[in-house]
Amino acid sequence: MIIQRVVLNSRPGKNGVPVAENFRLEQSTIADTVQEGQVRVKTLYLSVDPYMRCRMNEDTGSDYLQPWQLSEVADGGGIGVVEESKHHNLAKGDFVTSFTWPWQTAAILEGDLLQKLAPQLVNGRLSYFLGAAGITGLTALLGVREKGHVAAGANQTMVVSGAAGACGSLAGQIGRLEGCSRVVGIAGTDEKCSILVQEMGFDAAINYKKGDVAKQLRELCPGGVDVYFDNVGGDISDTVISQMNQNSHIILCGQISQYNKDVPYPPPLPPDTEKIQKERNITRERFLVLNYMDKQEASVLQLCQWIQEGKLKVRETVVEGLANIGAAFQSMMNGGNIGKQIVSVSK
């Protein structure tokens, strides 16, 4: 069977900025027959995520991420529909997902490695299982619950960097749902800031490309910062940390400003910022959602309930066509999208 697939065409280099040309669309084939325990699937949606930048290097810098190999098919979160099955628990027409879905139009996969999806849980919006009701939503929810130490009635202020991104836009809303009394986002355009406040219920948002971020933070968080959901690292994070309270908490989710630099993860803080962290007893621990998979089922159900009730607003940037996945990746790394970046492969 003839298919199309996307392979890693070249590496941007440890300190390089990824471009669409780092990926290549090519024609390939898969077997015409399915073996026992396998299914043939048609790909519907693929997820494009910041962590994938690390997989473009020969060494990902992480013990849980494997690098993509040159001229080999890339992979990540994906959703598809079963077209043929020889697996006891999967039938033709079932919708399934995997964290290691190959970037190709169709594939033969081991059924045991797939999770069956129930579209009614997300009002039929299957792509949400890659975002708000998937690993992104889990990261936001479990990050807040496991590392944020949010307590209802404690009058806590949360700041979220990368707040218009896939995880940040959910984390701020979840912080509010879990009990934060004030939520402030940091994003890169006036449009993103407006969406955060008007659509997603943030109290305020700062365009870090305009004005004095430290001054705006002081004005918008007069009682200091109790919880910081950190998606970006770098100068923005140093500014937020300087205004954090005693015994406050950093949820170390991502460091996208550092992903094109050859530094360890998590990147070390500058000496002045590290001094503040230690003096104020601010927690800053590496957070990996895969360490909390025992809480996955209950957490996904909670996310789906909030979506159905309209309490969790979801934004997606959807790019049509497998051929455009490289451009989608480049746009995401440049901060060009709002919410989750999804590639729609076939309908």
PDB file of all heavy atoms in Angstrom, residues 205-235:
ATOM      1  N   ALA A 205      -3.264  40.149  31.244  1.00  0.00           N
ATOM      2  CA  ALA A 205      -2.204  39.546  30.437  1.00  0.00           C
ATOM      3  C   ALA A 205      -1.215  40.620  30.026  1.00  0.00           C
ATOM      4  O   ALA A 205      -1.590  41.762  29.750  1.00  0.00           O
ATOM      5  CB  ALA A 205      -2.782  38.852  29.205  1.00  0.00           C
ATOM      6  N   ILE A 206       0.056  40.236  29.972  1.00  0.00           N
ATOM      7  CA  ILE A 206       1.148  41.147  29.645  1.00  0.00           C
ATOM      8  C   ILE A 206       1.754  40.746  28.306  1.00  0.00           C
ATOM      9  O   ILE A 206       2.103  39.580  28.095  1.00  0.00           O
ATOM     10  CB  ILE A 206       2.239  41.088  30.725  1.00  0.00           C
ATOM     11  CG1 ILE A 206       1.684  41.581  32.063  1.00  0.00           C
ATOM     12  CG2 ILE A 206       3.466  41.909  30.320  1.00  0.00           C
ATOM     13  CD1 ILE A 206       2.613  41.306  33.240  1.00  0.00           C
ATOM     14  N   ASN A 207       1.860  41.707  27.395  1.00  0.00           N
ATOM     15  CA  ASN A 207       2.596  41.509  26.152  1.00  0.00           C
ATOM     16  C   ASN A 207       4.060  41.804  26.453  1.00  0.00           C
ATOM     17  O   ASN A 207       4.448  42.961  26.621  1.00  0.00           O
ATOM     18  CB  ASN A 207       2.059  42.435  25.060  1.00  0.00           C
ATOM     19  CG  ASN A 207       2.780  42.252  23.728  1.00  0.00           C
ATOM     20  OD1 ASN A 207       3.820  41.592  23.651  1.00  0.00           O
ATOM     21  ND2 ASN A 207       2.240  42.836  22.666  1.00  0.00           N
ATOM     22  N   TYR A 208       4.875  40.738  26.526  1.00  0.00           N
ATOM     23  CA  TYR A 208       6.265  40.922  26.957  1.00  0.00           C
ATOM     24  C   TYR A 208       7.114  41.679  25.943  1.00  0.00           C
ATOM     25  O   TYR A 208       8.233  42.114  26.255  1.00  0.00           O
ATOM     26  CB  TYR A 208       6.914  39.576  27.292  1.00  0.00           C
ATOM     27  CG  TYR A 208       7.178  38.673  26.106  1.00  0.00           C
ATOM     28  CD1 TYR A 208       8.344  38.778  25.349  1.00  0.00           C
ATOM     29  CD2 TYR A 208       6.266  37.687  25.736  1.00  0.00           C
ATOM     30  CE1 TYR A 208       8.598  37.941  24.283  1.00  0.00           C
ATOM     31  CE2 TYR A 208       6.498  36.853  24.670  1.00  0.00           C
ATOM     32  CZ  TYR A 208       7.667  36.978  23.946  1.00  0.00           C
ATOM     33  OH  TYR A 208       7.899  36.151  22.865  1.00  0.00           O
ATOM     34  N   LYS A 209       6.561  41.856  24.738  1.00  0.00           N
ATOM     35  CA  LYS A 209       7.298  42.599  23.720  1.00  0.00           C
ATOM     36  C   LYS A 209       7.040  44.108  23.815  1.00  0.00           C
ATOM     37  O   LYS A 209       7.617  44.892  23.057  1.00  0.00           O
ATOM     38  CB  LYS A 209       6.925  42.095  22.326  1.00  0.00           C
ATOM     39  CG  LYS A 209       7.352  40.641  22.083  1.00  0.00           C
ATOM     40  CD  LYS A 209       6.976  40.173  20.691  1.00  0.00           C
ATOM     41  CE  LYS A 209       7.398  38.718  20.479  1.00  0.00           C
ATOM     42  NZ  LYS A 209       7.009  38.220  19.136  1.00  0.00           N
ATOM     43  N   LYS A 210       6.150  44.479  24.733  1.00  0.00           N
ATOM     44  CA  LYS A 210       5.816  45.893  24.899  1.00  0.00           C
ATOM     45  C   LYS A 210       6.008  46.317  26.352  1.00  0.00           C
ATOM     46  O   LYS A 210       5.508  45.661  27.257  1.00  0.00           O
ATOM     47  CB  LYS A 210       4.354  46.160  24.491  1.00  0.00           C
ATOM     48  CG  LYS A 210       4.082  46.105  23.003  1.00  0.00           C
ATOM     49  CD  LYS A 210       2.636  46.511  22.737  1.00  0.00           C
ATOM     50  CE  LYS A 210       2.335  46.607  21.244  1.00  0.00           C
ATOM     51  NZ  LYS A 210       0.931  47.025  21.007  1.00  0.00           N
ATOM     52  N   GLY A 211       6.680  47.412  26.560  1.00  0.00           N
ATOM     53  CA  GLY A 211       6.764  47.992  27.893  1.00  0.00           C
ATOM     54  C   GLY A 211       7.668  47.221  28.829  1.00  0.00           C
ATOM     55  O   GLY A 211       8.398  46.300  28.454  1.00  0.00           O
ATOM     56  N   ASP A 212       7.602  47.596  30.081  1.00  0.00           N
ATOM     57  CA  ASP A 212       8.435  47.055  31.148  1.00  0.00           C
ATOM     58  C   ASP A 212       7.676  45.914  31.832  1.00  0.00           C
ATOM     59  O   ASP A 212       6.720  46.144  32.570  1.00  0.00           O
ATOM     60  CB  ASP A 212       8.743  48.182  32.146  1.00  0.00           C
ATOM     61  CG  ASP A 212       9.718  47.770  33.232  1.00  0.00           C
ATOM     62  OD1 ASP A 212       9.768  46.564  33.546  1.00  0.00           O
ATOM     63  OD2 ASP A 212      10.412  48.647  33.767  1.00  0.00           O
ATOM     64  N   VAL A 213       8.124  44.678  31.592  1.00  0.00           N
ATOM     65  CA  VAL A 213       7.419  43.513  32.137  1.00  0.00           C
ATOM     66  C   VAL A 213       7.447  43.523  33.660  1.00  0.00           C
ATOM     67  O   VAL A 213       6.437  43.249  34.320  1.00  0.00           O
ATOM     68  CB  VAL A 213       8.018  42.204  31.585  1.00  0.00           C
ATOM     69  CG1 VAL A 213       7.379  40.984  32.265  1.00  0.00           C
ATOM     70  CG2 VAL A 213       7.815  42.118  30.080  1.00  0.00           C
ATOM     71  N   ALA A 214       8.595  43.836  34.242  1.00  0.00           N
ATOM     72  CA  ALA A 214       8.703  43.848  35.706  1.00  0.00           C
ATOM     73  C   ALA A 214       7.742  44.857  36.318  1.00  0.00           C
ATOM     74  O   ALA A 214       7.064  44.562  37.313  1.00  0.00           O
ATOM     75  CB  ALA A 214      10.141  44.167  36.110  1.00  0.00           C
ATOM     76  N   LYS A 215       7.656  46.025  35.716  1.00  0.00           N
ATOM     77  CA  LYS A 215       6.758  47.073  36.222  1.00  0.00           C
ATOM     78  C   LYS A 215       5.299  46.630  36.112  1.00  0.00           C
ATOM     79  O   LYS A 215       4.507  46.800  37.050  1.00  0.00           O
ATOM     80  CB  LYS A 215       6.987  48.358  35.439  1.00  0.00           C
ATOM     81  CG  LYS A 215       6.121  49.542  35.868  1.00  0.00           C
ATOM     82  CD  LYS A 215       6.535  50.799  35.108  1.00  0.00           C
ATOM     83  CE  LYS A 215       5.719  52.014  35.528  1.00  0.00           C
ATOM     84  NZ  LYS A 215       4.319  51.918  35.076  1.00  0.00           N
ATOM     85  N   GLN A 216       4.943  46.039  34.959  1.00  0.00           N
ATOM     86  CA  GLN A 216       3.567  45.583  34.772  1.00  0.00           C
ATOM     87  C   GLN A 216       3.222  44.467  35.751  1.00  0.00           C
ATOM     88  O   GLN A 216       2.108  44.404  36.273  1.00  0.00           O
ATOM     89  CB  GLN A 216       3.369  45.112  33.332  1.00  0.00           C
ATOM     90  CG  GLN A 216       3.449  46.234  32.305  1.00  0.00           C
ATOM     91  CD  GLN A 216       3.304  45.696  30.888  1.00  0.00           C
ATOM     92  OE1 GLN A 216       2.210  45.381  30.440  1.00  0.00           O
ATOM     93  NE2 GLN A 216       4.419  45.596  30.172  1.00  0.00           N
ATOM     94  N   LEU A 217       4.170  43.579  36.013  1.00  0.00           N
ATOM     95  CA  LEU A 217       3.932  42.505  36.976  1.00  0.00           C
ATOM     96  C   LEU A 217       3.668  43.064  38.368  1.00  0.00           C
ATOM     97  O   LEU A 217       2.771  42.598  39.080  1.00  0.00           O
ATOM     98  CB  LEU A 217       5.132  41.552  37.019  1.00  0.00           C
ATOM     99  CG  LEU A 217       5.112  40.322  36.124  1.00  0.00           C
ATOM    100  CD1 LEU A 217       6.402  39.539  36.284  1.00  0.00           C
ATOM    101  CD2 LEU A 217       3.921  39.429  36.400  1.00  0.00           C
ATOM    102  N   ARG A 218       4.445  44.055  38.759  1.00  0.00           N
ATOM    103  CA  ARG A 218       4.239  44.657  40.082  1.00  0.00           C
ATOM    104  C   ARG A 218       2.851  45.276  40.192  1.00  0.00           C
ATOM    105  O   ARG A 218       2.194  45.179  41.235  1.00  0.00           O
ATOM    106  CB  ARG A 218       5.320  45.709  40.352  1.00  0.00           C
ATOM    107  CG  ARG A 218       6.674  45.130  40.735  1.00  0.00           C
ATOM    108  CD  ARG A 218       7.615  46.191  41.268  1.00  0.00           C
ATOM    109  NE  ARG A 218       7.962  47.193  40.265  1.00  0.00           N
ATOM    110  CZ  ARG A 218       8.985  47.085  39.414  1.00  0.00           C
ATOM    111  NH1 ARG A 218       9.762  45.998  39.467  1.00  0.00           N
ATOM    112  NH2 ARG A 218       9.241  48.031  38.536  1.00  0.00           N
ATOM    113  N   GLU A 219       2.404  45.894  39.106  1.00  0.00           N
ATOM    114  CA  GLU A 219       1.089  46.529  39.120  1.00  0.00           C
ATOM    115  C   GLU A 219      -0.037  45.500  39.132  1.00  0.00           C
ATOM    116  O   GLU A 219      -1.065  45.684  39.796  1.00  0.00           O
ATOM    117  CB  GLU A 219       0.948  47.447  37.899  1.00  0.00           C
ATOM    118  CG  GLU A 219       1.876  48.660  37.939  1.00  0.00           C
ATOM    119  CD  GLU A 219       1.880  49.426  36.626  1.00  0.00           C
ATOM    120  OE1 GLU A 219       1.300  48.914  35.636  1.00  0.00           O
ATOM    121  OE2 GLU A 219       2.476  50.520  36.586  1.00  0.00           O
ATOM    122  N   LEU A 220       0.143  44.411  38.370  1.00  0.00           N
ATOM    123  CA  LEU A 220      -0.922  43.415  38.218  1.00  0.00           C
ATOM    124  C   LEU A 220      -0.914  42.357  39.319  1.00  0.00           C
ATOM    125  O   LEU A 220      -1.913  41.667  39.525  1.00  0.00           O
ATOM    126  CB  LEU A 220      -0.803  42.733  36.846  1.00  0.00           C
ATOM    127  CG  LEU A 220      -1.048  43.645  35.639  1.00  0.00           C
ATOM    128  CD1 LEU A 220      -0.708  42.924  34.343  1.00  0.00           C
ATOM    129  CD2 LEU A 220      -2.495  44.120  35.612  1.00  0.00           C
ATOM    130  N   CYS A 221       0.221  42.222  40.006  1.00  0.00           N
ATOM    131  CA  CYS A 221       0.332  41.245  41.095  1.00  0.00           C
ATOM    132  C   CYS A 221       0.843  41.968  42.340  1.00  0.00           C
ATOM    133  O   CYS A 221       1.963  41.715  42.813  1.00  0.00           O
ATOM    134  CB  CYS A 221       1.286  40.114  40.715  1.00  0.00           C
ATOM    135  SG  CYS A 221       0.919  39.291  39.152  1.00  0.00           S
ATOM    136  N   PRO A 222       0.039  42.880  42.890  1.00  0.00           N
ATOM    137  CA  PRO A 222       0.510  43.706  44.010  1.00  0.00           C
ATOM    138  C   PRO A 222       0.876  42.908  45.249  1.00  0.00           C
ATOM    139  O   PRO A 222       1.686  43.357  46.066  1.00  0.00           O
ATOM    140  CB  PRO A 222      -0.672  44.648  44.275  1.00  0.00           C
ATOM    141  CG  PRO A 222      -1.864  43.944  43.707  1.00  0.00           C
ATOM    142  CD  PRO A 222      -1.352  43.200  42.511  1.00  0.00           C
ATOM    143  N   GLY A 223       0.311  41.724  45.387  1.00  0.00           N
ATOM    144  CA  GLY A 223       0.637  40.878  46.533  1.00  0.00           C
ATOM    145  C   GLY A 223       1.735  39.882  46.252  1.00  0.00           C
ATOM    146  O   GLY A 223       1.959  38.952  47.037  1.00  0.00           O
ATOM    147  N   GLY A 224       2.437  40.056  45.117  1.00  0.00           N
ATOM    148  CA  GLY A 224       3.476  39.115  44.726  1.00  0.00           C
ATOM    149  C   GLY A 224       2.910  37.903  44.009  1.00  0.00           C
ATOM    150  O   GLY A 224       1.700  37.793  43.782  1.00  0.00           O
ATOM    151  N   VAL A 225       3.777  36.973  43.663  1.00  0.00           N
ATOM    152  CA  VAL A 225       3.409  35.778  42.896  1.00  0.00           C
ATOM    153  C   VAL A 225       3.583  34.549  43.779  1.00  0.00           C
ATOM    154  O   VAL A 225       4.645  34.345  44.377  1.00  0.00           O
ATOM    155  CB  VAL A 225       4.278  35.652  41.624  1.00  0.00           C
ATOM    156  CG1 VAL A 225       3.929  34.373  40.860  1.00  0.00           C
ATOM    157  CG2 VAL A 225       4.113  36.886  40.735  1.00  0.00           C
ATOM    158  N   ASP A 226       2.540  33.737  43.854  1.00  0.00           N
ATOM    159  CA  ASP A 226       2.576  32.527  44.684  1.00  0.00           C
ATOM    160  C   ASP A 226       2.855  31.266  43.877  1.00  0.00           C
ATOM    161  O   ASP A 226       3.477  30.323  44.373  1.00  0.00           O
ATOM    162  CB  ASP A 226       1.242  32.354  45.417  1.00  0.00           C
ATOM    163  CG  ASP A 226       0.916  33.546  46.300  1.00  0.00           C
ATOM    164  OD1 ASP A 226       1.648  33.773  47.272  1.00  0.00           O
ATOM    165  OD2 ASP A 226      -0.054  34.272  45.991  1.00  0.00           O
ATOM    166  N   VAL A 227       2.357  31.237  42.639  1.00  0.00           N
ATOM    167  CA  VAL A 227       2.520  30.072  41.773  1.00  0.00           C
ATOM    168  C   VAL A 227       2.931  30.570  40.389  1.00  0.00           C
ATOM    169  O   VAL A 227       2.275  31.457  39.827  1.00  0.00           O
ATOM    170  CB  VAL A 227       1.212  29.253  41.652  1.00  0.00           C
ATOM    171  CG1 VAL A 227       1.448  28.000  40.812  1.00  0.00           C
ATOM    172  CG2 VAL A 227       0.674  28.886  43.019  1.00  0.00           C
ATOM    173  N   TYR A 228       4.004  30.006  39.858  1.00  0.00           N
ATOM    174  CA  TYR A 228       4.471  30.391  38.524  1.00  0.00           C
ATOM    175  C   TYR A 228       4.513  29.154  37.634  1.00  0.00           C
ATOM    176  O   TYR A 228       5.286  28.231  37.883  1.00  0.00           O
ATOM    177  CB  TYR A 228       5.842  31.049  38.598  1.00  0.00           C
ATOM    178  CG  TYR A 228       6.476  31.334  37.257  1.00  0.00           C
ATOM    179  CD1 TYR A 228       5.715  31.776  36.173  1.00  0.00           C
ATOM    180  CD2 TYR A 228       7.841  31.167  37.060  1.00  0.00           C
ATOM    181  CE1 TYR A 228       6.293  32.033  34.939  1.00  0.00           C
ATOM    182  CE2 TYR A 228       8.436  31.433  35.837  1.00  0.00           C
ATOM    183  CZ  TYR A 228       7.659  31.863  34.776  1.00  0.00           C
ATOM    184  OH  TYR A 228       8.231  32.111  33.542  1.00  0.00           O
ATOM    185  N   PHE A 229       3.658  29.130  36.617  1.00  0.00           N
ATOM    186  CA  PHE A 229       3.658  28.037  35.641  1.00  0.00           C
ATOM    187  C   PHE A 229       4.605  28.459  34.518  1.00  0.00           C
ATOM    188  O   PHE A 229       4.268  29.288  33.680  1.00  0.00           O
ATOM    189  CB  PHE A 229       2.249  27.779  35.111  1.00  0.00           C
ATOM    190  CG  PHE A 229       2.071  26.425  34.487  1.00  0.00           C
ATOM    191  CD1 PHE A 229       1.491  25.386  35.202  1.00  0.00           C
ATOM    192  CD2 PHE A 229       2.507  26.165  33.193  1.00  0.00           C
ATOM    193  CE1 PHE A 229       1.318  24.125  34.632  1.00  0.00           C
ATOM    194  CE2 PHE A 229       2.352  24.919  32.620  1.00  0.00           C
ATOM    195  CZ  PHE A 229       1.758  23.892  33.337  1.00  0.00           C
ATOM    196  N   ASP A 230       5.792  27.869  34.507  1.00  0.00           N
ATOM    197  CA  ASP A 230       6.885  28.315  33.644  1.00  0.00           C
ATOM    198  C   ASP A 230       6.962  27.460  32.378  1.00  0.00           C
ATOM    199  O   ASP A 230       7.319  26.286  32.433  1.00  0.00           O
ATOM    200  CB  ASP A 230       8.201  28.244  34.413  1.00  0.00           C
ATOM    201  CG  ASP A 230       9.378  28.806  33.632  1.00  0.00           C
ATOM    202  OD1 ASP A 230       9.164  29.341  32.531  1.00  0.00           O
ATOM    203  OD2 ASP A 230      10.520  28.705  34.134  1.00  0.00           O
ATOM    204  N   ASN A 231       6.647  28.087  31.250  1.00  0.00           N
ATOM    205  CA  ASN A 231       6.752  27.414  29.956  1.00  0.00           C
ATOM    206  C   ASN A 231       7.938  27.892  29.125  1.00  0.00           C
ATOM    207  O   ASN A 231       8.220  27.302  28.085  1.00  0.00           O
ATOM    208  CB  ASN A 231       5.474  27.648  29.133  1.00  0.00           C
ATOM    209  CG  ASN A 231       4.300  26.849  29.642  1.00  0.00           C
ATOM    210  OD1 ASN A 231       4.347  25.629  29.718  1.00  0.00           O
ATOM    211  ND2 ASN A 231       3.227  27.540  30.013  1.00  0.00           N
ATOM    212  N   VAL A 232       8.613  28.960  29.545  1.00  0.00           N
ATOM    213  CA  VAL A 232       9.568  29.598  28.638  1.00  0.00           C
ATOM    214  C   VAL A 232      10.997  29.700  29.153  1.00  0.00           C
ATOM    215  O   VAL A 232      11.945  29.643  28.381  1.00  0.00           O
ATOM    216  CB  VAL A 232       9.074  31.001  28.212  1.00  0.00           C
ATOM    217  CG1 VAL A 232       7.711  30.923  27.554  1.00  0.00           C
ATOM    218  CG2 VAL A 232       9.052  31.963  29.380  1.00  0.00           C
ATOM    219  N   GLY A 233      11.188  29.889  30.456  1.00  0.00           N
ATOM    220  CA  GLY A 233      12.532  30.086  30.968  1.00  0.00           C
ATOM    221  C   GLY A 233      13.108  31.432  30.550  1.00  0.00           C
ATOM    222  O   GLY A 233      12.402  32.332  30.101  1.00  0.00           O
ATOM    223  N   GLY A 234      14.426  31.588  30.705  1.00  0.00           N
ATOM    224  CA  GLY A 234      15.119  32.784  30.233  1.00  0.00           C
ATOM    225  C   GLY A 234      14.773  34.037  31.016  1.00  0.00           C
ATOM    226  O   GLY A 234      14.398  33.991  32.198  1.00  0.00           O
ATOM    227  N   ASP A 235      14.877  35.179  30.342  1.00  0.00           N
ATOM    228  CA  ASP A 235      14.705  36.477  30.990  1.00  0.00           C
ATOM    229  C   ASP A 235      13.320  36.658  31.600  1.00  0.00           C
ATOM    230  O   ASP A 235      13.178  37.264  32.660  1.00  0.00           O
ATOM    231  CB  ASP A 235      14.977  37.609  29.992  1.00  0.00           C
ATOM    232  CG  ASP A 235      16.431  37.663  29.544  1.00  0.00           C
ATOM    233  OD1 ASP A 235      17.281  37.079  30.256  1.00  0.00           O
ATOM    234  OD2 ASP A 235      16.718  38.289  28.503  1.00  0.00           O
TER     235      ASP A 235
END
